């Protein structure tokens, strides 16, 4: 008991230090009891908490067992032995966890934490595309519903998109639902990519003008973008990659000044990992990711809500598309 209390105190100290790079002391004081309650519930219920890189620092640090990008978290959820997996991210991510580990109880703290990309396409849209382009393989970005996952041939993420497209034995490939990711893949492959016009409501806001202005204002800064940005934007930046690949780039490049063209919490979370790097804020907020708060996380564990459920048929077919990706990477 003494040991467990000591461990909790150590986690709290670490949480205060890291989240303290973003919040005032009073805000930490107010939230600390919630963090303690979550840590206790997590133990009681044998729950695993996964946190996407876009979680706010109070949710990202301390309570998460693992944090990362969509690909890393998908792998973690597949391998978990916990009774409950609480996914702090958006709904398609929690669905992916359920598909990869269907015997676990998978929870998300707010069912309305959606994604503009996932909402841009239905399973019926995929069936119509298949009828229009018979024999052309369909790759879906992991930011899609389980209904879309069950209809496509293979899934990709921002960390492996080009590799997945290259792995297919076809000169033409349909890439859905992110039109900008499709454009970015097209720049890196000789295959003909047929896109779907879905967009991330956060990353589509960045323009070439923003990059030009950033270069003028901060000539020494490395500019880093997510592949959900337009290809005209990614063409002008120093590095484009998944949320975790951004961290890796900063570590390996030794950059002293970084300007991130991605969701706001990414910079907040990286700031505590790289105290010697100056992060210039050029961020946009994802309203879906921001629906996950400490109070909702506590309630999710306390009341075991909101459970993500899928039919056996959906799980079986969506799993096949995910497994094909996981066999490549
Ligand atoms: P990552 O897989 O790069 O973490 O991206 C997920 C996402 O939703 C970015 O907007
Ligand atoms: Fe979806 Fe964009 Fe939000 Fe990521 S940042 S969850 S792609 S809306």
């Amino acid at each position: 008991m003494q040991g467990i209390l000591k461990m909790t105190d150590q986690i709290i100290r670490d949480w205060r230090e890291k989240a303290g790079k973003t919040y005032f002391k009073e805000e930490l004081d107010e939230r600390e009891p919630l963090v303690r309650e979550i840590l206790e519930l997590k133990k009681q219920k044998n729950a695993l908490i996964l946190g996407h890189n876009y979680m706010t620092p109070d949710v990202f640090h301390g309570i998460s067992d693992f944090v990362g990008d969509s690909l890393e978290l998908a792998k973690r959820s597949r391998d978990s032995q916990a009774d409950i997996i609480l996914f702090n991210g958006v709904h398609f991510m929690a669905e992916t966890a359920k598909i990869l580990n269907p015997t676990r109880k998978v929870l998300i703290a707010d069912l309305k934490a959606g994604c503009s990309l996932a909402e841009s396409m239905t399973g019926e849209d995929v069936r119509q595309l298949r009828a229009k382009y018979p024999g052309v393989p369909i790759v879906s970005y992991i930011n899609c519903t389980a209904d879309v996952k069950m209809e496509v041939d293979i899934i990709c993420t921002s960390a492996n998109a080009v590799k997945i497209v290259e792995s297919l034995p076809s000169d033409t490939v349909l890439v859905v639902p992110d039109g900008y990711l499709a454009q970015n893949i097209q720049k890196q492959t000789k295959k003909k990519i047929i896109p779907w016009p879905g967009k991330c409501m956060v990353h589509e806001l960045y323009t070439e003008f923003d990059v030009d202005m950033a270069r003028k204002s901060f000539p020494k800064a490395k500019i880093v973008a997510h592949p959900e940005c337009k290809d005209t934007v990614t063409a002008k930046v120093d590095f484009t990659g998944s949320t975790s690949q951004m961290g890796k780039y900063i570590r390996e490049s030794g950059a002293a000044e970084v300007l991130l063209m991605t969701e706001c919490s990414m910079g907040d979370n990286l700031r505590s990992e790289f105290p010697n790097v100056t992060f210039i804020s050029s961020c946009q907020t994802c309203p879906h990711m921001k629906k996950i708060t400490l109070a909702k996380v506590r309630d999710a564990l306390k009341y075991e809500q909101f459970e993500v459920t899928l039919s056996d048929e959906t799980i079986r077919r969506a799993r096949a598309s995910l497994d094909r990706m996981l066999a490549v990477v």
Side-chain angles (χ1 to χ4, degrees):
M1 189 65 185
Q2 198 71 11
I4 291 173
L5 282 179
K6 249 196 184 152
M7 249 170 61
T8 302
D9 285 342
Q10 180 55 46
I11 294 172
I12 294 288
R13 267 198 299 278
D14 190 58
W15 171 81
R16 288 189 74 99
E17 192 195 318
K18 289 178 173 158
K21 302 249 186 285
T22 304
Y23 305 109
F24 294 117
K25 180 186 171 299
E26 291 74 13
E27 292 173 292
L28 296 176
D29 291 346
E30 194 185 297
R31 293 173 204 194
E32 186 181 311
L34 276 173
V35 176
R36 287 189 182 275
E37 211 180 327
I38 291 167
L39 291 172
E40 186 51 40
L41 284 162
K42 196 163 75 152
K43 247 181 287 147
Q44 266 175 29
K45 305 213 172 195
N46 186 27
L48 175 87
I49 300 190
L50 299 176
H52 185 262
N53 287 325
Y54 290 166
M55 289 297 96
T56 49
D58 55 342
V59 173
F60 184 80
H61 299 293
I63 61 165
S64 307
D65 294 294
F66 297 104
V67 290
D69 66 14
S70 307
L71 180 62
E72 291 166 334
L73 296 176
K75 288 180 178 167
R76 289 294 184 178
S77 52
R78 176 196 58 187
D79 300 338
S80 174
Q81 302 294 320
D83 294 325
I84 292 175
I85 299 174
L86 173 60
F87 209 116
N88 290 337
V90 291
H91 193 261
F92 78 82
M93 297 178 176
E95 260 187 358
T96 303
K98 183 69 186 174
I99 295 163
L100 290 171
N101 206 339
T103 57
R104 310 291 134 186
K105 188 180 235 185
V106 176
L107 304 176
I108 183 159
D110 189 328
L111 282 170
K112 290 198 207 77
C115 169
S116 65
L117 280 170
E119 280 146 30
S120 72
M121 188 173 216
T122 63
E124 178 55 25
D125 291 330
V126 182
R127 287 193 288 277
Q128 285 183 17
L129 268 187
R130 211 181 272 293
K132 190 170 169 194
Y133 298 99
V136 178
I138 308 180
V139 179
S140 179
Y141 188 33
I142 198 164
N143 296 37
C144 64
T145 60
D147 283 350
V148 166
K149 284 187 179 73
M150 68 191 272
E151 295 293 341
V152 299
D153 297 298
I154 189 164
I155 299 297
C156 73
T157 76
S158 55
N160 61 23
V162 176
K163 208 168 174 182
I164 296 298
V165 165
E166 288 294 328
S167 76
L168 298 169
S170 169
D171 292 337
T172 305
V173 178
L174 280 147
V175 174
V176 301
D178 187 349
Y180 293 137
L181 178 74
Q183 281 178 351
N184 281 305
I185 296 171
Q186 185 64 84
K187 291 247 162 105
Q188 299 170 71
T189 181
K190 290 200 169 66
K191 293 181 193 282
K192 179 177 157 39
I193 304 295
I194 305 173
W196 177 262
K199 292 168 187 168
C200 161
M201 62 192 285
V202 176
H203 292 93
E204 73 159 326
L205 298 175
Y206 291 106
T207 64
E208 279 177 82
F209 179 73
D210 294 333
V211 187
D212 293 342
M213 288 309 287
R215 286 264 183 245
K216 259 201 197 129
S217 311
F218 305 99
K220 290 203 191 104
K222 295 286 184 200
I223 305 180
V224 172
H226 195 275
E228 289 165 12
C229 293
K230 300 176 180 90
D231 67 327
T232 49
V233 168
T234 58
K236 290 185 159 209
V237 303
D238 297 296
F239 177 76
T240 303
S242 81
T243 53
S244 288
Q245 287 170 343
M246 289 177 186
K248 188 165 180 272
Y249 169 78
I250 294 167
R251 195 171 306 113
E252 289 173 1
S253 67
E257 215 174 289
V258 174
L259 190 142
L260 293 172
M261 295 197 152
T262 192
E263 214 280 331
C264 294
S265 294
M266 191 71 214
D268 290 335
N269 293 329
L270 286 173
R271 202 169 287 129
S272 55
E273 194 182 335
F274 299 100
N276 298 323
V277 176
T278 304
F279 286 92
I280 299 149
S281 186
S282 147
C283 65
Q284 303 285 354
T285 298
C286 173
H288 301 291
M289 292 279 184
K290 298 304 85 132
K291 288 205 160 64
I292 308 299
T293 63
L294 275 178
K296 289 188 203 169
V297 169
R298 186 269 318 271
D299 288 349
L301 281 179
K302 192 168 174 180
Y303 305 114
E304 300 193 15
Q305 65 188 26
F306 297 94
E307 187 170 359
V308 176
T309 54
L310 293 165
S311 73
D312 290 347
E313 162 82 353
T314 304
I315 289 176
R316 186 182 59 75
R317 290 181 54 199
R319 171 92 199 216
S321 304
L322 281 160
D323 279 347
R324 280 184 212 113
M325 169 184 78
L326 294 167
V328 177
V329 288

